[in-house]
C-alpha cells in the first residue's frame, strides 16, 4: 500500500497521475497470441510489457486481467455441471490461477527497478465489455467479482481499477466486492457515442453513484480520444473525487477479446505518441488528474506523455 500512498499524495497536491497503456493489444503487437492472456504461454513477455511501462514513467501499472474471470469459461458450456463433465479438469480454478499469476508478474515488474509504481488490479465486466445487455444480476456479479478481488488482494495489489464498466449496476456490485478487501477502488466507464454509459445511463448519474459508493476516482476509457474530451466536463461537474480518462486509438477489429483470438485495433498509426500526448495534456488542463492509454497505445505513448506532464509541472 506504500506505493498507493505516493499516488494519493500526488492527487491530493493537484499533480497528475500517469497510468500505463494497452496490455492485450501490446502483447499482440509483439507477436504474442493472447490465448490465456499470454499468461500460460508467454509470462516473460507479459512481465516485459509491464517493465516497459514502468521505464516509460507510469505511476500506476495495471494487471493483465481484463475480461479474465470464470464467466468467460463458463459461457462456453450449458452450466457448471456440463463444464465439469466435459471440460478440462482445471477450468473451475483456471481463472483464479491466471489472475494470481497476472498480479505476481505485475508486482515483479513494479519492484524490479528504482521506481515503485502502484499495481492496480483490473476488474472488468464479467461478460463482454461492449455488451451491457449481458450483465449479470447484482448478486451474481458481486459474488464473482469478490472472488477475483480477494485473490488479487492476496497477491498484493495496491488498488483496484474497475475498467470499462458498462452498467452502473455492475459497477456498483464490483465496487462493493473490491472495497471489501480494504484497497482503494477507481471506477472507469465505457461510453456509447452519445456520451452515456454504454448501458444507457447518464454519465453524470453513474459517476455520482460510484463516488457515493466509495470510489476514490472516476474515469472513462475504451473510447476514442474525442469522447474523453467531451466526457471530462461531465465527470468534473458530477464528482469531487479525482477524475480522468484513458482512450483507445484506432478501430476495434473483431473477432477479439476471446482467449483463442487476437485482440487488436487497426489504424493506430493515425495516433502517434506526440499527437496522443497533446490531446491528453489538454485533458490535464481541463482538470483531469489521472491519465493514461487504453487499447492500441504503447510504452512509447506513455513515455511521451510522461515527458509532457513533467514539462508542464516544471513550468
Amino acid at each position: 500500500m506504500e506505493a498507493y500512498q505516493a499516488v494519493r499524495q500526488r492527487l491530493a497536491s493537484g499533480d497528475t497521475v500517469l497510468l500505463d497503456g494497452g496490455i492485450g493489444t501490446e502483447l499482440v503487437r509483439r507477436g504474442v497470441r493472447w490465448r490465456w492472456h499470454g499468461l500460460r504461454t508467454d509470462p516473460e513477455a507479459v512481465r516485459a510489457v509491464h517493465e516497459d511501462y514502468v521505464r516509460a514513467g507510469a505511476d500506476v501499472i495495471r494487471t493483465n486481467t481484463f475480461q479474465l474471470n470464470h464467466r468467460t469459461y463458463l459461457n462456453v458450456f450449458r452450466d457448471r455441471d456440463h463444464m465439469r463433465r466435459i471440460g478440462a479438469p482445471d477450468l473451475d480454478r483456471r481463472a483464479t490461477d491466471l489472475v494470481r499469476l497476472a498480479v505476481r508478474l505485475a508486482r515483479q515488474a513494479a519492484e524490479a527497478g528504482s521506481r515503485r509504481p502502484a499495481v492496480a488490479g483490473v476488474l472488468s465486466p464479467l461478460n463482454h465489455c461492449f455488451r451491457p445487455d449481458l450483465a449479470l444480476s447484482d448478486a451474481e456479479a458481486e459474488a464473482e467479482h469478490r472472488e477475483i478481488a480477494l485473490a488479487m488482494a492476496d497477491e498484493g495489489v495496491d488498488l483496484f481499477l474497475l475498467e470499462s464498466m458498462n452498467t452502473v449496476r455492475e459497477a456498483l456490485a464490483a465496487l462493493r466486492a473490491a472495497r471489501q478487501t480494504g484497497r482503494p477502488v477507481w471506477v472507469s466507464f465505457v461510453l456509447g457515442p452519445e456520451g452515456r454509459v454504454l448501458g444507457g445511463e447518464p454519465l453524470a448519474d453513474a459517476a455520482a453513484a460510484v463516488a457515493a459508493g466509495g470510489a476514490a476516482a472516476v474515469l472513462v476509457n475504451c473510447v476514442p480520444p474525442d469522447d474523453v474530451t467531451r466526457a471530462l466536463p461531465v465527470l468534473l461537474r458530477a464528482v469531487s473525487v479525482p477524475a480522468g480518462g484513458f482512450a483507445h486509438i484506432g478501430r476495434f477489429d473483431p473477432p477479439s477479446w476471446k482467449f483463442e483470438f487476437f485482440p487488436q485495433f487497426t489504424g493506430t498509426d493515425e495516433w502517434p505518441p506526440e499527437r496522443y500526448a497533446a490531446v491528453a495534456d489538454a485533458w490535464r488542463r481541463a482538470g483531469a488528474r489521472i491519465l493514461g492509454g487504453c487499447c492500441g497505445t504503447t510504452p512509447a505513448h506513455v513515455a511521451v506523455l510522461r515527458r509532457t506532464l513533467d514539462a508542464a509541472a516544471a513550468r
Side-chain angles (χ1 to χ4, degrees):
M1 295 294 289
E2 182 178 340
Y4 185 74
Q5 293 306 318
V7 170
R8 192 197 305 272
Q9 289 169 8
R10 289 180 66 88
L11 292 173
S13 65
D15 291 341
T16 306
V17 168
L18 181 59
L19 293 171
D20 56 7
I23 298 176
T25 51
E26 179 64 9
L27 286 168
V28 170
R29 193 177 72 87
R30 298 182 183 201
V32 175
R33 195 172 189 209
W34 207 52
R35 179 173 298 196
W36 303 300
H37 283 56
L39 292 164
R40 276 188 165 185
T41 55
D42 297 273
E44 297 84 2
V46 174
R47 184 171 57 245
V49 168
H50 292 312
E51 290 171 347
D52 285 350
Y53 280 121
V54 174
R55 281 191 288 268
D59 299 310
V60 178
I61 61 172
R62 290 167 284 166
T63 57
N64 179 30
T65 53
F66 186 81
Q67 303 267 232
L68 178 54
N69 56 68
H70 292 298
R71 183 64 48 174
T72 304
Y73 293 99
L74 183 60
N75 284 345
V76 178
F77 303 91
R78 186 187 68 184
D79 52 30
R80 288 187 182 274
D81 286 341
H82 181 223
M83 183 176 73
R84 294 188 184 104
R85 180 72 171 175
I86 72 166
D90 70 334
L91 286 185
D92 270 347
R93 66 176 189 277
R94 184 176 296 175
T96 300
D97 290 346
L98 292 177
V99 161
R100 287 182 175 276
L101 174 58
V103 176
R104 290 196 296 271
L105 293 171
R107 287 237 61 91
Q108 290 167 14
E111 295 166 1
S114 57
R115 298 185 68 255
R116 289 291 188 272
V119 173
V122 169
L123 299 175
S124 59
L126 294 165
N127 282 314
H128 198 293
C129 61
F130 295 155
R131 292 289 306 276
D133 55 304
L134 300 178
L136 302 179
S137 71
D138 294 2
E140 287 178 305
E142 185 170 347
E144 294 193 26
H145 281 299
R146 183 187 304 113
E147 183 177 1
I148 302 167
L150 289 172
M152 288 183 171
D154 188 53
E155 293 293 342
V157 296
D158 299 297
L159 70 152
F160 287 94
L161 175 57
L162 312 188
E163 188 172 325
S164 301
M165 301 310 294
N166 57 27
T167 66
V168 178
R169 286 195 307 104
E170 186 167 0
L172 288 170
L175 176 60
R176 289 191 297 270
R179 290 194 73 211
Q180 290 178 29
T181 68
R183 268 57 166 194
V185 185
W186 297 355
V187 180
S188 188
F189 290 102
V190 61
L191 310 178
E194 73 291 335
R196 289 173 171 253
V197 174
L198 202 56
E201 304 97 328
L203 177 60
D205 293 349
V210 296
V218 184
L219 306 93
V220 294
N221 78 288
C222 213
V223 293
D226 287 349
D227 291 4
V228 176
T229 300
R230 287 191 291 268
L232 277 172
V234 178
L235 286 183
L236 292 168
R237 287 193 299 267
V239 299
S240 58
V241 298
F246 49 113
H248 75 228
I249 57 175
R251 294 276 181 165
F252 184 42
D253 189 13
S256 187
W257 302 125
K258 297 178 183 292
F259 294 142
E260 66 269 28
F261 292 117
F262 293 74
Q264 56 190 310
F265 272 65
T266 60
T268 55
D269 54 348
E270 297 177 10
W271 282 92
E274 292 76 12
R275 182 187 181 194
Y276 186 83
V279 172
D281 192 49
W283 303 337
R284 176 194 62 81
R285 295 195 303 273
R289 287 295 168 262
I290 303 170
L291 302 175
C294 199
C295 306
T297 60
T298 70
H301 290 81
V302 172
V304 174
L305 186 49
R306 174 82 276 162
R307 292 197 294 270
T308 302
L309 296 177
D310 289 348
R315 288 197 290 268

